[in-house]
Amino acid sequence: MGVIRQFTLQEELNIINLYKKTETFYQYDGFALGGIVPLTQNYYDIVNILAVFFEQFKDYNKPLHILGVSGTKTMALMTYFKKLYKKEIVTYDSASYGNGAIRLEFINLFNKFKISFGNNSENKLTKLPCLCPVCSKIKDLTLIRQGGSIPGALLSLHNLYQYIQFSYFINAISDDIQIMEDYMIKNLEIENRLLDFIKETYSNGYE
C-alpha cells in the first residue's frame, strides 16, 4: 500500500503526483493517508486534507485508508467523504482506545463521556455505566481501581468496543445522507458550511 504522509496541502499534492508518475501506481493495493493526528483540534484543516485526498483519488477504485483517526467528528467526516465519493472500501485506524491501558480511562463516545479510574481519581462510581460485552462482566470496580495491566486491558477493550459501535452506527446512517447530515450538525456540532464545502468540492473539484 502506498503511504502519503504530509505536513501541508502542497506536500500532500506533491507526494500524490509523484506516485501517479510512477509506472507502478496501479500496482499498489491501495493508498493510505497519514498526518491527521496533529490536526485534530482544527477540523477545517482536516476537511481540506481529506478533500485533496478524496479528490485526487476520485476515479481510483482500490481501497483507501486513513491513519490515526481519532474522535467522532473525524470518523463522521471521513465517512461523509466516503459516501459522497461513492468509495466501496475506506478504512481507518485509531489507537485512542488504548487510553484505557495508559490512563485507566473509560469513554462513551455517544454521550461524550470520559472518566478516569487512575490513582488520582476521586469518582465514587460503584459500577461501570455500560452494558457492553466487557463491562457487563465486571461486577466489582475494585478490580478496575487496583490498577495494573488487567484493568487497563479491560478498559481498553471497552473503549475499542465503543469505536466499533460508533463506526458501525455512522456507516449505517450514511445510507440516508440527510439523516447523516442532521446528526453531524445537531449531535457532533459540525458546521453546516463544512458539509457544504465538501459537497462543493465533490461537484466542482478542489481549488
Side-chain angles (χ1 to χ4, degrees):
M1 177 170 277
V3 177
I4 299 146
R5 175 65 172 86
Q6 86 300 315
F7 294 96
T8 67
L9 288 172
Q10 191 56 55
E11 283 182 340
E12 181 183 12
L13 278 169
N14 290 343
I15 295 170
I16 293 172
N17 286 331
L18 284 173
Y19 271 118
K20 287 183 174 180
K21 289 177 182 178
T22 65
E23 296 180 358
T24 58
F25 176 71
Y26 288 101
Q27 295 178 20
Y28 285 96
D29 294 329
F31 280 88
L33 174 68
I36 295 290
V37 174
L39 307 176
T40 51
Q41 300 304 314
N42 190 327
Y43 289 97
Y44 288 94
D45 287 345
I46 289 176
V47 165
N48 275 283
I49 291 291
L50 289 174
V52 169
F53 184 64
F54 277 88
E55 189 64 23
Q56 289 295 311
F57 289 97
K58 196 170 190 175
D59 300 318
Y60 185 78
N61 297 319
K62 291 184 179 181
L64 300 176
H65 183 75
I66 316 296
L67 296 161
V69 172
S70 177
T72 53
K73 286 186 180 181
T74 307
M75 293 165 71
L77 286 167
M78 193 209 68
T79 306
Y80 191 69
F81 272 103
K82 173 188 174 184
K83 191 66 178 181
L84 282 185
Y85 279 82
K86 302 176 178 64
K87 294 297 181 183
E88 183 177 352
I89 300 177
V90 178
T91 57
Y92 51 87
D93 62 70
S94 175
S96 296
Y97 70 91
N99 284 336
I102 299 169
R103 292 189 285 272
L104 290 182
E105 282 184 356
F106 170 99
I107 61 171
N108 184 307
L109 294 178
F110 291 91
N111 295 308
K112 301 177 183 177
F113 178 80
K114 181 193 300 184
I115 193 167
S116 173
F117 289 91
N119 292 333
N120 297 321
S121 172
E122 296 181 356
N123 76 73
K124 297 178 175 61
L125 296 184
T126 58
K127 55 182 176 292
L128 292 173
C130 177
L131 289 173
C132 78
V134 179
C135 296
S136 60
K137 303 297 183 183
I138 300 173
K139 306 302 182 184
D140 184 358
L141 285 191
T142 303
L143 171 65
I144 299 299
R145 296 185 189 280
Q146 72 184 17
S149 59
I150 293 177
L154 291 172
L155 288 174
S156 290
L157 286 171
H158 157 80
N159 294 343
L160 178 59
Y161 190 76
Q162 283 283 305
Y163 274 91
I164 292 170
Q165 275 193 309
F166 187 83
S167 181
Y168 180 86
F169 168 79
I170 204 68
N171 273 281
I173 66 171
S174 73
D175 288 341
D176 187 315
I177 202 71
Q178 188 59 58
I179 290 176
M180 186 183 190
E181 288 178 352
D182 289 344
Y183 177 82
M184 292 170 75
I185 293 168
K186 294 175 184 176
N187 295 75
L188 301 181
E189 300 176 349
I190 293 174
E191 295 181 31
N192 192 42
R193 59 178 174 170
L194 274 179
L195 303 183
D196 288 341
F197 170 76
I198 296 170
K199 288 184 283 190
E200 179 71 18
T201 300
Y202 174 72
S203 298
N204 300 313
Y206 184 89
E207 295 183 0

